[in-house]
Amino acid sequence: MRTALYDPVVDPDDVAVEQRLLLDRIRKRRDHWASDAFSQVRAHFFQGHPYAIPLDGEESDVAAQTPDSLRSVYRALQQAPLVISVSGDFNPARMQSQMQDLFGHGVKSPPRPQIAIPPKRLQDSHAKTLKQPVAAVILAVDAAAMDDPDAQVDWQMLDTVLAGMQYPGGRLHPLLRGQELVYVVHGVPQFYRDHGIFYIYALTSPESVATVQQQLVDTVELLKTAGLDPEERERAQAQIRYAYQQAQDPPSARVHQAARYQLWGLPLDTHETQLTRLSTYTDADVQAMAQQAFQAWQLYVFLPE
């Protein structure tokens, strides 16, 4: 098991097959509006940081990979801290002893230092293009890193109020979809080790893009200036509580959640602390969150080429 993780046999034929598949996916990136748009947004928003690079990589980097270079990546996984999560029917003491024998004695390099990302200071707009005959508006703002669980639940609250937390809800769904201005509108908070980002994205038509852009900005500004009503807050809190409950099922999900907390240096009851924080929110709290969160943003407006 240790060898398979840290020093695997990498077959050149397997590498060639995966390279062809990955290169094909990269070349088709612009054929789908979302992969195209978000690649452009991340490249600008995180410029100068590895987060700006698409997860699939770029053609030149993928084409340059060799079996030896891939094996070096596996060897580099020997970093502290190492967290192993195991779920199933087994003897805990025996499993812990086996994992200790396999992984507990090797010398591990320290984790890489965090790479700072300067916070955005202004409200800027950027014109972009898409290969497909559609338009899109993406509002992106600095969000919490993964080591700030209190701020994470704050962002989840803002996401739920504005965009429904990946469900057809929040303020923007009835506003934009109710007027048949968009095909889809959602919010996405993403929390990483060095930084976080919160998107609100809307897919629309070129004819409607200016209206969608204005209404998205107006909706955010209205939350900052007028706040929300108690019924709206309670509905958002209930939705987040349900999402947290779903994340605890099945039991293997709880195991992996505990592993993530351990890896990030967070208490194992972090989700309980977050739910407690959630229950204390007042309408004024949510308004203050919006005022703090949306001081600066990057607005990306995409039109067909």
Side-chain angles (χ1 to χ4, degrees):
M1 183 176 176
R2 178 184 173 84
T3 300
L5 178 60
Y6 289 150
D7 196 16
V9 174
V10 182
D11 187 278
D13 291 338
D14 292 339
V15 173
V17 170
E18 292 302 321
Q19 276 178 316
R20 284 197 299 272
L21 293 172
L22 191 51
L23 287 169
D24 183 61
R25 190 156 67 240
I26 291 170
R27 290 164 187 150
K28 292 179 179 177
R29 185 181 291 154
R30 297 216 67 201
D31 293 340
H32 187 271
W33 79 269
S35 59
D36 185 10
F38 281 106
S39 291
Q40 293 186 58
V41 169
R42 292 176 67 88
H44 179 269
F45 194 91
F46 290 123
Q47 55 189 310
H49 190 281
Y51 292 166
I53 302 170
L55 290 178
D56 289 337
E58 300 294 357
E59 283 191 58
S60 58
D61 300 316
V62 173
Q65 294 303 311
T66 66
D68 285 342
S69 67
L70 292 175
R71 289 181 68 190
S72 69
V73 173
Y74 282 97
R75 294 190 190 106
L77 294 176
Q78 298 185 72
Q79 289 186 344
L82 171 67
V83 179
I84 300 170
S85 65
V86 183
S87 60
D89 185 10
F90 56 86
N91 183 295
R94 182 182 178 187
M95 180 61 69
Q96 182 177 359
S97 176
Q98 290 175 329
M99 293 299 102
Q100 183 66 30
D101 290 342
L102 284 169
F103 299 104
H105 304 295
V107 177
K108 297 178 178 63
S109 60
R112 69 161 177 83
Q114 287 186 298
I115 303 172
I117 298 175
K120 310 300 180 290
R121 301 296 185 189
L122 302 171
Q123 296 179 356
D124 290 334
S125 295
H126 310 275
K128 301 286 185 179
T129 61
L130 294 172
K131 183 178 178 181
Q132 293 181 304
V134 294
V137 179
I138 300 179
L139 185 147
V141 295
D142 295 303
M146 60 174 56
D147 61 355
D148 190 349
D150 285 352
Q152 289 174 21
V153 75
D154 292 352
W155 277 107
Q156 290 164 350
M157 187 68 179
L158 291 173
D159 175 25
T160 307
V161 168
L162 288 169
M165 199 181 186
Q166 290 295 321
Y167 296 97
R171 294 186 173 187
L172 289 168
H173 278 269
L175 177 66
L176 297 178
R177 296 198 70 182
Q179 298 183 70
E180 299 183 348
L181 289 171
V182 299
Y183 304 112
V184 63
V185 57
H186 282 300
V188 182
Q190 296 180 332
F191 312 121
Y192 304 119
R193 181 168 180 257
D194 293 348
H195 204 72
I197 184 170
F198 175 65
Y199 307 103
I200 300 175
Y201 66 91
L203 177 65
T204 184
S205 65
E207 297 76 21
S208 300
V209 69
T211 302
V212 170
Q213 174 184 345
Q214 189 61 54
Q215 292 204 14
L216 196 159
V217 170
D218 288 347
T219 301
V220 170
E221 288 297 325
L222 184 63
L223 181 59
K224 291 166 61 177
T225 57
L228 71 171
D229 61 70
E231 187 174 300
E232 189 178 16
R233 171 182 48 78
E234 291 167 3
R235 186 165 56 246
Q237 288 170 312
Q239 188 171 335
I240 296 172
R241 279 193 292 269
Y242 177 76
Y244 272 58
Q245 291 167 1
Q246 291 296 103
Q248 295 289 304
D249 189 37
S252 59
R254 295 196 293 273
V255 173
H256 298 321
Q257 182 185 67
R260 290 194 297 272
Y261 290 158
Q262 188 75 23
L263 183 65
W264 300 340
L266 299 175
L268 295 181
D269 65 347
T270 291
H271 65 288
E272 297 293 346
T273 304
Q274 289 176 314
L275 286 172
T276 299
R277 180 178 180 83
L278 175 69
S279 67
T280 66
Y281 288 154
T282 65
D283 304 332
D285 290 333
V286 179
Q287 183 177 1
M289 289 176 206
Q291 292 168 348
Q292 176 66 29
F294 296 108
Q295 293 184 53
W297 64 55
Q298 304 295 300
L299 190 68
Y300 302 89
V301 181
F302 292 84
L303 288 170
E305 291 179 342

